[in-house]
Amino acid sequence: MAKEIMKEYKQPLSVYFVYHPSVSDETKKCVKFCYEKLQRDIEKPFSRFINIPVFYNTSNSEDEIPKNIEVKSEKAIIFLLIDNNVVINDDWLTYYIEIYNKMNDNGYCVIPIAIDEAALHINTFSQLNCIRAYEFRKTFYKENFLLHVTNAIYSWILNKKICEYGKDKNLKIFLSHTKIGKVGENIAKQIKEFIDSTILNNFFDRTDLAINYEFNEEIIKHIKESAILLINTDPYLSRFWCQKEILAAKENNRPIVAIDCLSVYEDRYFPHAANIPTIHLKSEEFNKISQKTLYTILLTLLLETLRHHYNEMLLTSYRDAEFIPKDSEILSRPPELLDINKMLTSKGKYFIYPEPEIFNIEKEIYSQLKINIATPLNYNIESDLSNIEIGISISNPEQTSIVEKGQYEEHLIQLSMDLARNIIARNGNLVYGGDLRQNGFTEFIIEEAKILYTDKKYSKPHVKNYLVYPIYKNYDDKFKKWKADNKIYADMINVEIPKSVSEIIENKNETTSVVENNYIWSICLTDMRQKMINKCDYRIAAGGKFTNYKGIMPGVLEEILIAIDMKKPLYLLGGFGGVVSDVCKIMTTSTNTEKLRESWQKENNPNYGLFLNYLNEKNQNMLPDYDKLTTKLKLKNLNNGLSDNDNLKLFNTPFVDEAIYLIMKGLKRIISKNNK
């Protein structure tokens, strides 16, 4: 058997927010803001990102206590948001104290956030150095919230410096600037004053250089333990000492952010100052930087610091699991000029840098020099999926299910985008059945396909989207234009109406019942799903709603059952909630869940009982048999190349990375076996 993609992998870090469901909307927005900044921007699929897994623990009502946190990563940081709702509710207060005690005992980091001042009256937390959110300025409340959260993640998890916890453990910022022209010094002073008003540290050479030290020695000492902020004014990059600081930062693998403060121009951009995030500062702010811009600068540097250190942690865990070569060199940013000498003397070593992959026009330079560079994804590109059709059954579950899993809707969007990237980058075809509403899964999948199509120079679409009648009949001119614009990236396959339904529609009149309309939809959807799945080589399923669906049963459940009937290898991602989570429970317990019983479906879906009666009269063969789910939903029927133990991991992991690696592990086993 060929060497497996992965030995054993465990997510290195996860972040949790715990809060009462009645916490203020402002606080909920802060949690969402943190989530969005710590994940990747789904609107910019190929931009650099942090992608730390973020979850929240709350409940659907204040009378309900959330489930206990089950940490599945090596390290975790848990933020307990304590407001008046928690303080006055003994059950919630007990829940918080239990989390604090249990998580501390297990070596995880727990940080209380005092939303209201009353939080400090709780004995368990009164002696702790809480994040005092009630003291934040209201004008920049969410920015201050994110600042403290990101600094805590850095200080308690990512900072390798050995020291007592306290301000010395906080992020240290090195302000690199030139005094020539005074613009850089003025900007640096303003930033220093702002940093001094926060919990962070800074190094500012006019005040912090020790008298008895050599200038370069002292500078390099501070650079080695700092995040670097380059204040790039017109003369900055032409100054020897500024270039020296940049080189020292790069050579010591420090996180760097540049501020573009050019008044007119610079005659040469120092090449080693590239390959880093840059913020543009408008000339009208040179004398007085706005508070909004100051927060943007500081948060960008904090987030870049997290990205830098977390990617180092993540790639190290990949190397330990042998997902990437054991002797590979890890880069915390894409490769650049400074790396080339080391690469040329590496004797075939791989240099692995974080996702996303740089485009081929940049990679060709390294290829010509016979240098091996790759991201974790394209290192394993030999797992070729050419001419293989991989279908995904994925949709958002109900909000209650999302809350129970501590996730947002964006978790599944990210999953769908990462699945698309992994399949299409390996030359596979992604098959999906769904509508094309704005911000739907299809739209995000095609955005991934567009960039890969161009970069990989593909000659045909690698996405196949099946559309059911009557959806494709009802789109307007705007949709038709969108479909035409995306024709080269995706095949839009209209599944014609089944004959049995067309006869009903021909005789249809204005008084057609809701039940009859449901019947028409069901016939069309089942026909589309059967045709689509029959064309697939493999299927992946996640999410899925229990109610308000069109069809004979929840759509994701029907697609799972069809795939099993057709003996298609099937991968079930239960960690993202919804129908698939219940299917995984059935497979592990051999007992049906409440929501996948006919009685529950009738009770929670209007007209479903009447519809089943109608279906019984019209076409008994289509009647769903919920009582037989335990017979069909067996581990042995997955046929997916994974061991039972690996499938149980796949059933339970909430981490996109781990889920995809397990899927690829199973795919590679089957493909390797078939090619013998």
Side-chain angles (χ1 to χ4, degrees):
M1 183 179 291
K3 186 179 179 181
E4 294 178 353
I5 290 178
M6 179 176 64
K7 274 187 173 180
E8 190 70 30
Y9 171 76
K10 191 168 186 179
Q11 179 68 33
L13 172 64
S14 55
V15 176
Y16 295 83
F17 292 92
V18 185
Y19 60 87
H20 191 280
S22 297
V23 76
S24 69
D25 289 341
E26 183 179 42
T27 303
K28 289 178 182 175
K29 287 177 182 176
C30 287
V31 174
K32 188 70 178 290
F33 186 57
C34 291
Y35 168 80
E36 290 168 351
K37 294 300 181 181
L38 294 173
Q39 290 286 289
R40 70 182 173 106
D41 189 345
I42 59 176
E43 302 292 341
K44 299 176 182 176
F46 278 77
S47 61
R48 294 202 296 172
F49 45 78
I50 304 176
N51 225 20
I52 297 175
V54 178
F55 306 98
Y56 62 90
N57 254 44
T58 188
S59 60
N60 290 297
S61 75
E62 57 184 78
D63 297 326
E64 177 188 350
I65 302 297
K67 295 177 181 177
N68 288 324
I69 295 174
E70 186 182 352
V71 175
K72 297 180 180 178
S73 54
E74 290 284 353
K75 296 182 179 181
I77 184 166
I78 299 151
F79 295 98
L80 296 178
L81 280 58
I82 310 171
D83 68 340
N84 291 334
N85 293 293
V86 173
V87 175
I88 65 174
N89 189 314
D90 289 342
D91 290 338
W92 273 84
L93 197 52
T94 300
Y95 173 70
Y96 268 49
I97 293 170
E98 286 176 351
I99 286 179
Y100 179 76
N101 291 332
K102 180 182 177 183
M103 293 299 126
N104 272 332
D105 289 345
N106 284 288
Y108 302 118
C109 178
V110 183
I111 307 288
I113 301 180
I115 304 299
D116 296 313
E117 191 171 1
L120 302 183
H121 302 156
I122 303 169
N123 288 335
T124 304
F125 307 120
S126 60
Q127 302 302 314
L128 300 176
N129 188 17
C130 297
I131 294 174
R132 302 189 179 200
Y134 62 85
E135 295 180 348
F136 294 167
R137 292 175 54 193
K138 295 302 178 186
T139 312
F140 294 98
Y141 187 84
K142 70 177 183 179
E143 287 82 2
N144 274 299
F145 195 98
L146 177 62
L147 188 153
H148 282 76
V149 163
T150 51
N151 183 63
I153 296 171
Y154 170 77
S155 301
W156 290 81
I157 304 293
L158 299 176
N159 188 355
K160 297 177 182 177
K161 183 179 177 183
I162 300 173
C163 63
E164 294 294 323
Y165 289 119
K167 191 158 184 176
D168 285 343
K169 193 74 172 171
N170 293 340
L171 178 65
K172 186 173 182 178
I173 297 172
F174 183 99
L175 301 173
S176 178
H177 66 287
T178 178
K179 298 178 182 67
I180 304 297
K182 298 297 181 182
V183 174
E185 186 173 14
N186 181 43
I187 291 170
K189 283 181 181 178
Q190 293 181 69
I191 294 172
K192 178 190 184 314
E193 288 172 3
F194 181 66
I195 293 170
D196 285 345
S197 71
T198 73
I199 56 174
L200 305 181
N201 300 322
N202 70 83
F203 172 73
F204 188 65
D205 65 1
R206 166 169 281 190
T207 57
D208 290 357
L209 275 179
I211 294 173
N212 295 325
Y213 279 76
E214 290 292 329
F215 181 75
N216 59 340
E217 179 185 328
E218 179 77 347
I219 287 282
I220 292 171
K221 171 181 168 293
H222 284 285
I223 284 174
K224 285 181 177 180
E225 56 187 31
S226 300
I228 316 300
L229 197 57
L230 308 185
I231 301 170
N232 183 24
T233 51
D234 291 34
Y236 172 79
L237 290 177
S238 65
R239 309 304 297 170
F240 172 78
W241 283 110
C242 295
Q243 292 188 8
K244 187 82 173 172
E245 288 170 3
I246 294 167
L247 282 169
K250 288 287 184 74
E251 287 167 355
N252 287 283
N253 194 29
R254 304 311 302 160
I256 311 171
V257 169
I259 308 175
D260 173 14
C261 311
L262 297 181
S263 298
V264 183
Y265 89 112
E266 56 193 351
D267 60 358
R268 177 179 180 266
Y269 196 87
F270 185 51
H272 302 306
N275 206 25
I276 57 175
T278 302
I279 301 166
H280 177 65
L281 187 65
K282 296 178 181 177
S283 58
E284 54 263 34
E285 289 199 87
F286 287 180
N287 290 325
K288 186 170 177 55
I289 306 173
S290 69
Q291 288 288 297
K292 182 179 179 181
T293 301
L294 286 167
Y295 273 108
T296 298
I297 291 169
L298 193 52
L299 287 173
T300 300
L301 186 60
L302 267 164
L303 291 167
E304 173 62 11
T305 301
L306 259 61
R307 188 205 65 76
H308 184 95
H309 290 291
Y310 174 68
N311 274 319
E312 186 178 300
M313 175 189 280
L314 185 67
L315 295 184
T316 300
S317 71
Y318 290 166
R319 187 170 60 188
D320 292 344
E322 294 187 33
F323 177 68
I324 58 178
K326 287 187 76 172
D327 64 345
S328 60
E329 293 276 350
I330 289 172
L331 305 175
S332 54
R333 55 174 64 90
E336 58 182 302
L337 183 60
L338 276 171
D339 301 314
I340 287 180
N341 184 55
K342 182 167 61 174
M343 291 173 169
L344 288 172
T345 58
S346 66
K347 297 182 180 178
K349 268 190 185 179
Y350 264 91
F351 287 78
I352 308 294
Y353 63 96
E355 305 286 354
E357 179 184 6
I358 57 176
F359 294 128
N360 280 334
I361 53 174
E362 190 175 351
K363 283 168 56 181
E364 284 171 5
I365 297 169
Y366 298 95
S367 179
Q368 290 168 9
L369 295 171
K370 297 187 175 7
I371 291 173
N372 297 322
I373 62 165
T375 66
L377 168 58
N378 64 45
Y379 165 71
N380 280 305
I381 209 71
E382 72 270 9
S383 303
D384 188 62
L385 301 176
S386 298
N387 302 315
I388 290 176
E389 311 274 325
I390 301 177
I392 60 173
S393 304
I394 188 166
S395 68
N396 274 321
E398 286 81 3
Q399 187 62 31
T400 54
S401 181
I402 293 174
V403 169
E404 286 170 3
K405 289 292 181 181
Q407 298 176 353
Y408 291 105
E409 290 183 359
E410 288 86 347
H411 278 87
L412 272 172
I413 292 173
Q414 183 187 336
L415 173 65
S416 68
M417 294 170 78
D418 282 358
L419 282 170
R421 179 181 299 173
N422 276 267
I423 292 167
I424 297 169
R426 290 180 167 88
N427 225 6
N429 296 318
L430 187 145
V431 183
Y432 180 63
D435 64 37
L436 298 174
R437 58 198 161 81
Q438 190 173 12
N439 293 326
F441 288 102
T442 308
E443 185 174 328
F444 287 110
I445 288 168
I446 290 176
E447 286 305 309
E448 292 282 341
K450 278 183 183 179
I451 298 173
L452 286 167
Y453 179 93
T454 304
D455 186 47
K456 303 290 184 185
K457 299 178 182 177
Y458 288 148
S459 59
K460 63 178 183 178
H462 280 261
V463 174
K464 297 182 180 181
N465 184 224
Y466 281 73
L467 296 170
V468 67
Y469 175 91
I471 288 176
Y472 60 81
K473 293 285 187 183
N474 297 332
Y475 284 116
D476 55 18
D477 290 341
K478 184 179 177 181
F479 161 71
K480 291 174 183 175
K481 181 182 183 308
W482 184 88
K483 184 176 177 180
D485 290 343
N486 291 287
K487 187 176 177 62
I488 63 170
Y489 310 116
D491 282 333
M492 307 291 183
I493 301 168
N494 297 335
V495 180
E496 292 301 323
I497 186 169
K499 186 177 179 182
S500 60
V501 174
S502 63
E503 292 172 354
I504 297 174
I505 293 173
E506 287 173 8
N507 300 320
K508 189 175 167 183
N509 57 51
E510 294 180 1
T511 61
T512 303
S513 68
V514 172
V515 169
E516 189 171 27
N517 274 329
N518 287 350
Y519 178 72
I520 293 169
W521 268 105
S522 297
I523 297 292
C524 292
L525 282 166
T526 297
D527 180 66
M528 182 272 286
R529 287 167 176 152
Q530 288 174 337
K531 289 176 178 174
M532 172 181 67
I533 294 170
N534 186 52
K535 293 289 186 180
C536 291
D537 299 300
Y538 305 88
R539 295 291 300 179
I540 302 167
K545 57 186 179 180
F546 296 94
T547 60
N548 299 315
Y549 50 84
K550 292 181 173 72
I552 62 170
M553 65 175 71
V556 172
L557 175 63
E558 183 176 15
E559 292 182 9
I560 288 171
L561 293 173
I562 292 172
I564 288 174
D565 285 341
M566 293 184 179
K567 296 185 172 17
K568 303 290 182 179
L570 180 62
Y571 301 91
L572 300 177
L573 283 62
F576 296 85
V579 168
V580 177
S581 180
D582 275 37
V583 167
C584 293
K585 288 175 185 174
I586 293 172
M587 285 198 168
T588 53
T589 64
S590 298
T591 304
N592 210 346
T593 61
E594 181 187 8
K595 291 181 180 179
L596 292 184
R597 296 181 189 276
E598 186 175 306
S599 57
W600 190 94
Q601 288 292 313
K602 287 179 179 178
E603 196 174 315
N604 291 275
N605 286 290
N607 300 311
Y608 190 63
L610 294 173
F611 165 70
L612 290 182
N613 292 336
Y614 186 86
L615 193 61
N616 187 46
E617 294 174 11
K618 287 284 186 179
N619 191 344
Q620 288 186 1
N621 293 331
M622 286 190 65
L623 273 174
D625 192 341
Y626 292 94
D627 291 335
K628 289 188 177 179
L629 288 181
T630 54
T631 304
K632 279 195 175 183
L633 299 177
K634 299 284 189 184
L635 275 168
K636 65 180 182 181
N637 292 333
L638 294 175
N639 300 312
N640 61 13
L642 294 177
S643 66
D644 286 355
N645 187 50
D646 279 341
N647 271 309
L648 292 176
K649 288 180 187 175
L650 190 60
F651 287 0
N652 291 288
T653 183
F655 304 120
V656 173
D657 280 0
E658 186 174 18
I660 290 176
Y661 299 152
L662 286 166
I663 291 167
M664 293 301 162
K665 182 177 182 179
L667 285 173
K668 189 172 182 181
R669 277 182 176 174
I670 296 174
I671 293 168
S672 175
K673 184 178 179 180
N674 291 341
N675 289 339
K676 282 186 176 179

